[in-house]
Amino acid sequence: MPELNETHDATLTSWVTSANAPDADFPVQNLPYGVFRRAGADEPFRVGVAIGDRILDVGAARGAGIIGDAADAAAAACEDTALNSLMAMGPDAWRALRSAISRVLRADTAEGRDAAARGEGMTIAIADAELTIPARIGDYTDFYASVHHATNVGGMFRPDNPLLPNYKWVPIGYHGRASSIVVSGARVRRPVGQTKGADQERPSVGPSRLLDYEMEVGAFIGTGNQPGEPIPIGEADRHLFGLCLVNDWSARDMQAWEYQPLGPFLAKNFLTTVSPWVVTMEALAPFRIPATPRPPGDPAPLPYLTDARDLASGGVAITLDVLLLTPEMRAAGLEPERLSRGSFSEMYWTLAQMLTHHASSGCNLRPGDLIASGTVSGPDPDSRGCLLELTRRGAEPVRLPNGETRGFLQDGDEVIMVGRCEREGARSIGFGECRGVVVGAG
């Protein structure tokens, strides 16, 4: 598990002045990785680090000779068109590169003064960049790690038995579709599929009428494991590179018809949106918290899912907001309206437990693979991370300040997700945005 070091010092400032604003998502204590190129340019994508409202070109910093020998190999990996090469190098390389980049971007170092003097040759404005999916994602697995979400959804379909018997014993998940993962900002085309209403004699095919979002946190795998070799839970953190925001778009009417007996399929595989910036596990070190305590009467996790360090600091304190901007609001110049605010600190299963369970059968995970938490929901009505829960399957639509209501998403609606970590004595950091606009089925 990453330890606190000088890169986390809350007093550090950057020569990129926008990074020093109190509400900046990307201060010098964060340093998330992304993959970019100049917008409209016919050039390869490359790895950069977000700092304030700009991107540090890691390859350019290496070419200028200010990265240093200790992190040179890791910086060279950032000249790839995705983060996979860096992810595969492991924690020692990640730590060395973060330390070097911190010195390049700080206002109080020789490297920082050198970088600042080079100005435009070292950074590009985020507004002038095209961002893409940060890794080549070979496989994607979505978990169901919020007991509040599982209970709320289960209660709608099984009022007398909301949680199935296995939930508190095993981290439940399903294999998603990596090919339909897109970066924030991509359009969300309403899916077409087979549905059957309770009053219908036979199913029909057409555009989904119950389109929903799911507020999730994603974790990118760094170093993987060989087929047949499990990952002990005490070593799981060394295999996690960093986190992003995930919107696992869901067609609830298609899901209700198809999910038995094998679970999600077309209702989930049409699109998943990820935020472009990966906040590293090292950047998140100040915000690690104890795993959520099990309520009295709940079974203790089985031995392979139990570790003292994970119990003490396996959680991550991230506040997650979902906002909605409708076409009517957009036309009137209104700001997006917040629908919910949840906390990743309330998950029933930790990231390490999810990863360890995933590999426990001998399944091999590879650099760049993505695992997601499942919908992040809390115990309160305004902390529920999808419309299925917020509106009780559409029966209790949310009312927006301009008088509009929503049971599920309509064409033209834009969903915006943001995440932030805050703790007394630490510099707060953010994840940027994960957003998408719904368009018609065509």
Side-chain angles (χ1 to χ4, degrees), residues 37-254:
R37 66 183 177 189
R38 289 175 297 160
D42 184 18
E43 61 187 25
F45 283 99
R46 54 198 183 276
V47 174
V49 169
I51 180 72
D53 60 2
R54 302 191 70 81
I55 302 171
L56 174 74
D57 186 329
V58 179
R62 177 176 181 254
I66 56 176
I67 288 290
D69 292 342
D72 185 71
C78 292
E79 296 173 17
D80 193 358
T81 57
L83 280 165
N84 299 61
S85 297
L86 176 62
M87 290 169 164
M89 297 182 76
D92 291 342
W94 307 337
R95 188 179 309 110
L97 185 56
R98 174 178 166 85
S99 178
I101 290 174
S102 175
R103 295 189 63 82
V104 167
L105 290 171
R106 280 161 55 180
D108 64 340
T109 63
E111 297 93 330
R113 289 187 289 273
D114 189 352
R118 296 172 185 269
E120 294 296 324
M122 199 64 59
T123 67
I124 179 177
I126 293 177
D128 295 334
E130 177 188 354
L131 301 170
T132 190
I133 300 172
R136 292 183 289 271
I137 301 171
D139 283 294
Y140 161 50
T141 302
D142 199 14
F143 282 88
Y144 197 46
S146 167
V147 70
H148 301 295
H149 174 63
T151 302
N152 289 336
V153 173
M156 296 178 200
F157 298 95
R158 301 179 303 275
D160 298 329
N161 186 30
L163 283 184
L164 294 175
N166 63 349
Y167 185 86
K168 294 183 177 181
W169 290 99
V170 57
I172 300 296
Y174 73 92
H175 292 285
R177 184 75 185 178
S179 66
S180 54
I181 295 176
V182 298
V183 75
S184 175
R187 295 191 308 168
V188 183
R189 185 170 294 282
R190 186 177 294 273
V192 172
Q194 190 176 130
T195 63
K196 181 182 179 299
D199 58 347
Q200 291 180 302
E201 182 178 345
R202 52 189 290 126
S204 60
V205 176
S208 169
R209 292 169 295 166
L210 307 183
L211 184 61
D212 200 358
Y213 60 81
E214 290 191 343
M215 173 75 253
E216 305 192 16
V217 171
F220 280 101
I221 303 301
T223 53
N225 60 308
Q226 294 300 312
E229 294 185 3
I231 298 173
I233 190 167
E235 298 177 14
D237 252 47
R238 292 182 56 84
H239 293 263
L240 291 169
F241 180 76
L243 307 185
C244 69
L245 305 180
V246 173
N247 186 343
D248 186 37
W249 304 92
S250 301
R252 299 303 189 185
D253 43 357
M254 293 163 57

Side-chain angles (χ1 to χ4, degrees), residues 4-19:
L4 295 177
N5 54 50
E6 67 172 359
T7 66
H8 301 103
D9 185 343
T11 66
L12 297 178
T13 60
S14 174
W15 54 266
V16 180
T17 56
S18 59

Side-chain angles (χ1 to χ4, degrees), residues 358-432:
H358 200 319
S360 64
S361 65
C363 174
N364 59 309
L365 304 175
R366 296 171 294 183
D369 283 358
L370 180 68
I371 62 175
S373 62
T375 303
V376 179
S377 291
D380 302 319
D382 62 356
S383 64
R384 294 169 181 169
C386 63
L387 287 172
L388 179 68
E389 293 177 78
L390 275 175
T391 70
R392 303 295 299 172
R393 299 171 69 186
E396 302 173 9
V398 295
R399 180 170 293 276
L400 302 171
N402 67 346
E404 290 186 276
T405 60
R406 286 293 186 275
F408 289 94
L409 296 172
Q410 297 183 14
D411 291 352
D413 286 349
E414 182 171 21
V415 178
I416 305 154
M417 298 177 173
V418 296
R420 195 160 189 85
C421 298
E422 296 178 306
R423 198 207 77 190
E424 187 176 352
R427 182 66 159 84
S428 65
I429 63 175
F431 284 73

